[in-house]
Amino acid sequence: MEAPHSPAPDGATAIARLTLHSPDQTQELGRTLAKLLRPGDLVMLTGELGAGKTTLTRGLGEGLGVRGAVTSPTFVIARVHPSLVGGPALVHVDAYRLGGGLDEMEDLDLDVSLPDSVVVVEWGEGKVEDLTEDRLHVVIHRVVGSTDDERRMVTLTGHGARWAGVDLALG
């Protein structure tokens, strides 16, 4: 993983940009990020289909020591993975099929789960920001087109007081 430092954009309290070269590195990033996470954290994942959002979440689950295989919850919308090690549960949400904003998300009662869990929302941009001012936004860009290039450009942006002073460069 390569991690150049960048200044934080408006509204962000921490930012880092990483280049990943394989799905294994994407999963490893999830395991590393899990060490920074605590109950009440909201992680928004943004990226096109096949970018690695679920692979990253799988690594988060491994790092948090949760029960169950972390797979895409596209058709069930949300899965809860309880901790096996006394830590927070992982609530994994796929908002791809949810057209509305926070109103549809409210039906999932994420605000109830959030204080005691780490909530990860794929495709959450524009839908879950109002849940909390403190969130980690992970944007994953992949090379598109017909290519064997597995590189991912990942931008980690912490918003709110929770992420102030946190070194997201992970290097």
Side-chain angles (χ1 to χ4, degrees), residues 113-124:
S113 300
L114 190 57
D116 301 318
S117 306
V118 170
V119 176
V120 176
V121 183
E122 296 185 27
W123 304 97

mmCIF file with all atom_site columns, all heavy atoms in Angstrom, residues 113-124:
data_model
loop_
_atom_site.group_PDB
_atom_site.id
_atom_site.type_symbol
_atom_site.label_atom_id
_atom_site.label_alt_id
_atom_site.label_comp_id
_atom_site.label_asym_id
_atom_site.label_entity_id
_atom_site.label_seq_id
_atom_site.pdbx_PDB_ins_code
_atom_site.Cartn_x
_atom_site.Cartn_y
_atom_site.Cartn_z
_atom_site.occupancy
_atom_site.B_iso_or_equiv
_atom_site.pdbx_formal_charge
_atom_site.auth_seq_id
_atom_site.auth_comp_id
_atom_site.auth_asym_id
_atom_site.auth_atom_id
_atom_site.pdbx_PDB_model_num
ATOM 1  N N   . SER A 1 113 ? -28.841 0.915  16.117 1.00 0.00 ? 113 SER A N   1
ATOM 2  C CA  . SER A 1 113 ? -27.656 0.057  16.097 1.00 0.00 ? 113 SER A CA  1
ATOM 3  C C   . SER A 1 113 ? -26.369 0.837  16.252 1.00 0.00 ? 113 SER A C   1
ATOM 4  O O   . SER A 1 113 ? -25.385 0.327  16.786 1.00 0.00 ? 113 SER A O   1
ATOM 5  C CB  . SER A 1 113 ? -27.579 -0.713 14.774 1.00 0.00 ? 113 SER A CB  1
ATOM 6  O OG  . SER A 1 113 ? -28.709 -1.517 14.593 1.00 0.00 ? 113 SER A OG  1
ATOM 7  N N   . LEU A 1 114 ? -26.354 2.074  15.777 1.00 0.00 ? 114 LEU A N   1
ATOM 8  C CA  . LEU A 1 114 ? -25.112 2.831  15.673 1.00 0.00 ? 114 LEU A CA  1
ATOM 9  C C   . LEU A 1 114 ? -24.339 2.990  16.980 1.00 0.00 ? 114 LEU A C   1
ATOM 10 O O   . LEU A 1 114 ? -23.123 2.763  16.990 1.00 0.00 ? 114 LEU A O   1
ATOM 11 C CB  . LEU A 1 114 ? -25.385 4.204  15.040 1.00 0.00 ? 114 LEU A CB  1
ATOM 12 C CG  . LEU A 1 114 ? -24.166 5.029  14.650 1.00 0.00 ? 114 LEU A CG  1
ATOM 13 C CD1 . LEU A 1 114 ? -23.260 4.274  13.690 1.00 0.00 ? 114 LEU A CD1 1
ATOM 14 C CD2 . LEU A 1 114 ? -24.593 6.345  14.030 1.00 0.00 ? 114 LEU A CD2 1
ATOM 15 N N   . PRO A 1 115 ? -24.952 3.320  18.109 1.00 0.00 ? 115 PRO A N   1
ATOM 16 C CA  . PRO A 1 115 ? -24.135 3.553  19.314 1.00 0.00 ? 115 PRO A CA  1
ATOM 17 C C   . PRO A 1 115 ? -23.334 2.336  19.782 1.00 0.00 ? 115 PRO A C   1
ATOM 18 O O   . PRO A 1 115 ? -22.275 2.498  20.389 1.00 0.00 ? 115 PRO A O   1
ATOM 19 C CB  . PRO A 1 115 ? -25.166 3.955  20.370 1.00 0.00 ? 115 PRO A CB  1
ATOM 20 C CG  . PRO A 1 115 ? -26.343 4.442  19.610 1.00 0.00 ? 115 PRO A CG  1
ATOM 21 C CD  . PRO A 1 115 ? -26.361 3.644  18.334 1.00 0.00 ? 115 PRO A CD  1
ATOM 22 N N   . ASP A 1 116 ? -23.814 1.132  19.510 1.00 0.00 ? 116 ASP A N   1
ATOM 23 C CA  . ASP A 1 116 ? -23.174 -0.070 20.023 1.00 0.00 ? 116 ASP A CA  1
ATOM 24 C C   . ASP A 1 116 ? -22.420 -0.869 18.963 1.00 0.00 ? 116 ASP A C   1
ATOM 25 O O   . ASP A 1 116 ? -21.815 -1.891 19.278 1.00 0.00 ? 116 ASP A O   1
ATOM 26 C CB  . ASP A 1 116 ? -24.227 -0.994 20.655 1.00 0.00 ? 116 ASP A CB  1
ATOM 27 C CG  . ASP A 1 116 ? -24.967 -0.311 21.780 1.00 0.00 ? 116 ASP A CG  1
ATOM 28 O OD1 . ASP A 1 116 ? -24.305 0.377  22.582 1.00 0.00 ? 116 ASP A OD1 1
ATOM 29 O OD2 . ASP A 1 116 ? -26.199 -0.444 21.848 1.00 0.00 ? 116 ASP A OD2 1
ATOM 30 N N   . SER A 1 117 ? -22.468 -0.424 17.730 1.00 0.00 ? 117 SER A N   1
ATOM 31 C CA  . SER A 1 117 ? -21.924 -1.205 16.614 1.00 0.00 ? 117 SER A CA  1
ATOM 32 C C   . SER A 1 117 ? -21.024 -0.341 15.742 1.00 0.00 ? 117 SER A C   1
ATOM 33 O O   . SER A 1 117 ? -20.999 0.876  15.870 1.00 0.00 ? 117 SER A O   1
ATOM 34 C CB  . SER A 1 117 ? -23.072 -1.727 15.737 1.00 0.00 ? 117 SER A CB  1
ATOM 35 O OG  . SER A 1 117 ? -24.006 -2.442 16.490 1.00 0.00 ? 117 SER A OG  1
ATOM 36 N N   . VAL A 1 118 ? -20.328 -1.000 14.843 1.00 0.00 ? 118 VAL A N   1
ATOM 37 C CA  . VAL A 1 118 ? -19.686 -0.327 13.723 1.00 0.00 ? 118 VAL A CA  1
ATOM 38 C C   . VAL A 1 118 ? -20.629 -0.570 12.548 1.00 0.00 ? 118 VAL A C   1
ATOM 39 O O   . VAL A 1 118 ? -20.929 -1.713 12.208 1.00 0.00 ? 118 VAL A O   1
ATOM 40 C CB  . VAL A 1 118 ? -18.284 -0.908 13.434 1.00 0.00 ? 118 VAL A CB  1
ATOM 41 C CG1 . VAL A 1 118 ? -17.743 -0.374 12.115 1.00 0.00 ? 118 VAL A CG1 1
ATOM 42 C CG2 . VAL A 1 118 ? -17.333 -0.606 14.590 1.00 0.00 ? 118 VAL A CG2 1
ATOM 43 N N   . VAL A 1 119 ? -21.141 0.511  11.968 1.00 0.00 ? 119 VAL A N   1
ATOM 44 C CA  . VAL A 1 119 ? -22.084 0.405  10.864 1.00 0.00 ? 119 VAL A CA  1
ATOM 45 C C   . VAL A 1 119 ? -21.356 0.767  9.572  1.00 0.00 ? 119 VAL A C   1
ATOM 46 O O   . VAL A 1 119 ? -20.799 1.856  9.452  1.00 0.00 ? 119 VAL A O   1
ATOM 47 C CB  . VAL A 1 119 ? -23.310 1.324  11.073 1.00 0.00 ? 119 VAL A CB  1
ATOM 48 C CG1 . VAL A 1 119 ? -24.232 1.274  9.864  1.00 0.00 ? 119 VAL A CG1 1
ATOM 49 C CG2 . VAL A 1 119 ? -24.055 0.937  12.343 1.00 0.00 ? 119 VAL A CG2 1
ATOM 50 N N   . VAL A 1 120 ? -21.355 -0.168 8.623  1.00 0.00 ? 120 VAL A N   1
ATOM 51 C CA  . VAL A 1 120 ? -20.722 0.027  7.320  1.00 0.00 ? 120 VAL A CA  1
ATOM 52 C C   . VAL A 1 120 ? -21.824 0.034  6.279  1.00 0.00 ? 120 VAL A C   1
ATOM 53 O O   . VAL A 1 120 ? -22.611 -0.919 6.194  1.00 0.00 ? 120 VAL A O   1
ATOM 54 C CB  . VAL A 1 120 ? -19.709 -1.098 7.019  1.00 0.00 ? 120 VAL A CB  1
ATOM 55 C CG1 . VAL A 1 120 ? -19.124 -0.932 5.619  1.00 0.00 ? 120 VAL A CG1 1
ATOM 56 C CG2 . VAL A 1 120 ? -18.604 -1.118 8.068  1.00 0.00 ? 120 VAL A CG2 1
ATOM 57 N N   . VAL A 1 121 ? -21.899 1.118  5.494  1.00 0.00 ? 121 VAL A N   1
ATOM 58 C CA  . VAL A 1 121 ? -22.948 1.256  4.489  1.00 0.00 ? 121 VAL A CA  1
ATOM 59 C C   . VAL A 1 121 ? -22.322 1.396  3.113  1.00 0.00 ? 121 VAL A C   1
ATOM 60 O O   . VAL A 1 121 ? -21.652 2.390  2.823  1.00 0.00 ? 121 VAL A O   1
ATOM 61 C CB  . VAL A 1 121 ? -23.861 2.469  4.782  1.00 0.00 ? 121 VAL A CB  1
ATOM 62 C CG1 . VAL A 1 121 ? -24.988 2.535  3.745  1.00 0.00 ? 121 VAL A CG1 1
ATOM 63 C CG2 . VAL A 1 121 ? -24.433 2.398  6.191  1.00 0.00 ? 121 VAL A CG2 1
ATOM 64 N N   . GLU A 1 122 ? -22.526 0.372  2.284  1.00 0.00 ? 122 GLU A N   1
ATOM 65 C CA  . GLU A 1 122 ? -22.129 0.455  0.880  1.00 0.00 ? 122 GLU A CA  1
ATOM 66 C C   . GLU A 1 122 ? -23.195 1.259  0.143  1.00 0.00 ? 122 GLU A C   1
ATOM 67 O O   . GLU A 1 122 ? -24.379 1.125  0.428  1.00 0.00 ? 122 GLU A O   1
ATOM 68 C CB  . GLU A 1 122 ? -22.029 -0.942 0.261  1.00 0.00 ? 122 GLU A CB  1
ATOM 69 C CG  . GLU A 1 122 ? -20.959 -1.820 0.878  1.00 0.00 ? 122 GLU A CG  1
ATOM 70 C CD  . GLU A 1 122 ? -20.798 -3.145 0.157  1.00 0.00 ? 122 GLU A CD  1
ATOM 71 O OE1 . GLU A 1 122 ? -21.100 -3.215 -1.063 1.00 0.00 ? 122 GLU A OE1 1
ATOM 72 O OE2 . GLU A 1 122 ? -20.374 -4.116 0.806  1.00 0.00 ? 122 GLU A OE2 1
ATOM 73 N N   . TRP A 1 123 ? -22.779 2.084  -0.798 1.00 0.00 ? 123 TRP A N   1
ATOM 74 C CA  . TRP A 1 123 ? -23.678 2.912  -1.591 1.00 0.00 ? 123 TRP A CA  1
ATOM 75 C C   . TRP A 1 123 ? -24.462 3.877  -0.695 1.00 0.00 ? 123 TRP A C   1
ATOM 76 O O   . TRP A 1 123 ? -25.607 4.201  -0.971 1.00 0.00 ? 123 TRP A O   1
ATOM 77 C CB  . TRP A 1 123 ? -24.665 2.068  -2.411 1.00 0.00 ? 123 TRP A CB  1
ATOM 78 C CG  . TRP A 1 123 ? -24.039 1.067  -3.325 1.00 0.00 ? 123 TRP A CG  1
ATOM 79 C CD1 . TRP A 1 123 ? -23.845 -0.267 -3.058 1.00 0.00 ? 123 TRP A CD1 1
ATOM 80 C CD2 . TRP A 1 123 ? -23.500 1.286  -4.623 1.00 0.00 ? 123 TRP A CD2 1
ATOM 81 N NE1 . TRP A 1 123 ? -23.226 -0.877 -4.121 1.00 0.00 ? 123 TRP A NE1 1
ATOM 82 C CE2 . TRP A 1 123 ? -22.996 0.059  -5.093 1.00 0.00 ? 123 TRP A CE2 1
ATOM 83 C CE3 . TRP A 1 123 ? -23.391 2.409  -5.428 1.00 0.00 ? 123 TRP A CE3 1
ATOM 84 C CZ2 . TRP A 1 123 ? -22.414 -0.077 -6.344 1.00 0.00 ? 123 TRP A CZ2 1
ATOM 85 C CZ3 . TRP A 1 123 ? -22.797 2.268  -6.666 1.00 0.00 ? 123 TRP A CZ3 1
ATOM 86 C CH2 . TRP A 1 123 ? -22.320 1.034  -7.110 1.00 0.00 ? 123 TRP A CH2 1
ATOM 87 N N   . GLY A 1 124 ? -23.860 4.340  0.390  1.00 0.00 ? 124 GLY A N   1
ATOM 88 C CA  . GLY A 1 124 ? -24.565 5.186  1.353  1.00 0.00 ? 124 GLY A CA  1
ATOM 89 C C   . GLY A 1 124 ? -24.482 6.674  1.092  1.00 0.00 ? 124 GLY A C   1
ATOM 90 O O   . GLY A 1 124 ? -25.186 7.449  1.738  1.00 0.00 ? 124 GLY A O   1
#
